[in-house]
Amino acid sequence: MPEETARPGRASARTAAIIKATHELLHEVGYERLSIDAVAARAGASKTTIYRRWDDKCALVCAALLDRSASVTELSSAARNLREDLIALTALVAKLTAREDVPGFVSLLAAAQQEPAIADVLGRGALAPMRRNCRDVVQRAIGRGELNDAELSDVLFDLVLGHALARGVVQRKPLSADDQRFFVDRVLLPVLMSRGKPAPPITR
């Protein structure tokens, strides 16, 4: 069947195949080396089909990022205290890090410096679920009287994302359950709970 008269279901399947191929190639070669030719070959589609849907590589990658962000799990609100919430958050981030290709993600962060569209999609799409989860953790802690500063959600987001990137890119080590609890107890809780309190005196 000519592409111009393809049934909606077939067109949807072809789009899904193109998005899947884009994810795979981002994982394998990163943004800079990804090409429309390679995506078309991997997806079994023509370049004409791809360009009919997306103007260029940047637009295609943005669509792939938004597609992936839609599958990110929202954090449960069942935690009884801040520590439980932070452990659940860290476990979720560890799961996402294991599923995703962190070096490939770093290539997108580099591309975002030159491509405003990618920067925008990373901010409101790919990273938005994590930012919402961090906000919800802090808001629940405020409701329980454990914290009193809503801006701590930005601090939490920076710490969690930075830790995930450091482990994935620099150390290339997954976050075990013990690692997650250590990070919560020795980093996240002390930082969040110390906000607004005077620093302890330095002893020699």
Side-chain angles (χ1 to χ4, degrees):
M1 179 183 293
E3 291 177 352
E4 289 74 14
T5 58
R7 293 188 301 272
R10 181 172 178 179
S12 177
R14 183 178 293 114
T15 297
I18 293 169
I19 293 295
K20 181 175 182 290
T22 303
H23 283 305
E24 292 173 351
L25 288 166
L26 281 172
H27 170 82
E28 294 170 15
V29 303
Y31 178 82
E32 190 65 30
R33 294 173 57 196
L34 183 145
S35 68
I36 295 294
D37 285 327
V39 172
R42 178 71 60 91
S46 70
K47 290 196 295 182
T48 300
T49 297
I50 294 176
Y51 282 119
R52 185 178 296 120
R53 291 164 169 78
W54 301 282
D55 291 337
D56 52 24
K57 178 176 79 170
C58 178
L60 172 59
V61 168
C62 287
L65 287 173
L66 289 173
D67 172 80
R68 180 59 60 88
S69 69
S71 66
V72 175
T73 304
E74 294 292 331
L75 196 64
S76 169
S77 60
R80 294 169 297 179
N81 53 56
L82 176 58
R83 183 176 186 271
E84 287 186 8
D85 240 346
L86 291 174
I87 288 175
L89 174 66
T90 307
L92 177 60
V93 172
K95 181 179 179 181
L96 292 174
T97 302
R99 187 188 77 178
E100 301 290 343
D101 174 59
V102 177
F105 179 72
V106 172
S107 80
L108 290 171
L109 292 179
Q113 305 303 309
Q114 306 297 325
E115 299 281 3
I118 291 180
D120 179 62
V121 169
L122 283 174
R124 65 181 174 85
L127 295 176
M130 186 191 299
R131 191 176 289 280
R132 283 197 303 271
N133 283 331
C134 291
R135 178 202 63 202
D136 291 345
V137 166
V138 170
Q139 288 296 332
R140 285 193 290 270
I142 291 174
R144 291 188 294 259
E146 297 167 294
L147 299 174
N148 59 11
D149 186 350
E151 292 184 2
L152 283 171
S153 63
D154 292 333
V155 175
L156 179 58
F157 174 81
D158 291 344
L159 288 172
V160 170
L161 179 61
H163 189 58
L165 291 177
R167 289 295 294 251
V169 177
V170 179
Q171 301 181 44
R172 294 184 179 273
K173 292 170 58 179
L175 275 169
S176 68
D178 286 342
D179 292 332
Q180 294 166 31
R181 287 191 293 270
F182 183 90
F183 181 55
V184 167
D185 291 334
R186 299 298 183 90
V187 179
L188 295 182
L189 277 173
V191 170
L192 296 177
M193 299 299 291
S194 67
R195 183 66 174 255
K197 298 179 181 178
I202 299 174
T203 58
R204 300 182 182 275

